[in-house]
Amino acid sequence: MKKKWGLLVSAVAVSAMLMTACGGETNNQAASGNEAAPAAASSGTQVNIEASNWKFNQDTFEVKAGEEFTINFKSTEGFHGIGIEGLDVDLQKDGSKTLKVDEPGEYKIFCNIICGPDHGKMVATLVVK
Ligand SMILES: [Cu+2]
């Protein structure tokens, strides 16, 4: 029993020393890394699409071909959804979808819920470059 405690204590002591050593070394990196932190936290390109009566927050949304991106969709007013022609995107009301498009081009974003008189005006473009 005593031996076990001894081992445990020395193990803790060693890891504490290691942690201190690492902490000292990474302090500088952590400080300079702060600027990049928001991008790292969201992991990848975020495309924020918001729908209201009866429009999207932007006419075009741009992403890079062959790179993963996440669509964050939100209905801020009314009840809307999005579909994107030729892509596997089908979100309603709120939701996220991560995908990758290899083929550059323009993809039509449309509302996929019959939401009212100007439903047909709810279109935007996903530009894949
Ligand atoms: Cu609609």
Side-chain angles (χ1 to χ4, degrees):
M1 211 41 174
K2 269 188 181 173
K3 265 189 182 171
K4 269 190 182 172
W5 276 111
L7 276 176
L8 187 66
V9 168
S10 49
V12 168
V14 166
S15 49
M17 274 162 64
L18 285 175
M19 274 158 67
T20 317
C22 286
E25 231 171 77
T26 48
N27 266 350
N28 283 341
Q29 281 181 333
S32 62
N34 272 347
E35 287 160 40
S42 52
S43 74
T45 304
Q46 305 292 306
V47 180
N48 299 314
I49 304 180
E50 292 183 1
S52 56
N53 294 336
W54 278 268
K55 58 183 189 300
F56 292 110
N57 57 328
Q58 287 173 222
D59 290 331
T60 59
F61 299 88
E62 219 176 275
V63 296
K64 285 182 185 160
E67 277 186 24
E68 212 169 64
F69 61 94
T70 300
I71 293 174
N72 301 305
F73 177 70
K74 203 157 111 186
S75 295
T76 56
E77 177 194 30
F79 189 71
H80 309 280
I82 48 167
I84 303 180
E85 269 180 16
L87 304 179
D88 181 25
V89 174
D90 182 19
L91 299 169
Q92 298 193 329
K93 182 70 180 166
D94 298 298
S96 294
K97 167 94 186 185
T98 299
L99 70 157
K100 189 175 72 141
V101 182
D102 292 322
E103 192 72 29
E106 295 193 354
Y107 297 80
K108 185 182 172 190
I109 301 172
F110 57 92
C111 177
N112 61 5
I113 296 173
I114 306 298
C115 55
D118 287 329
H119 168 67
K121 289 183 183 171
M122 294 193 65
V123 288
T125 307
L126 178 73
V127 180
V128 180
K129 286 197 164 175

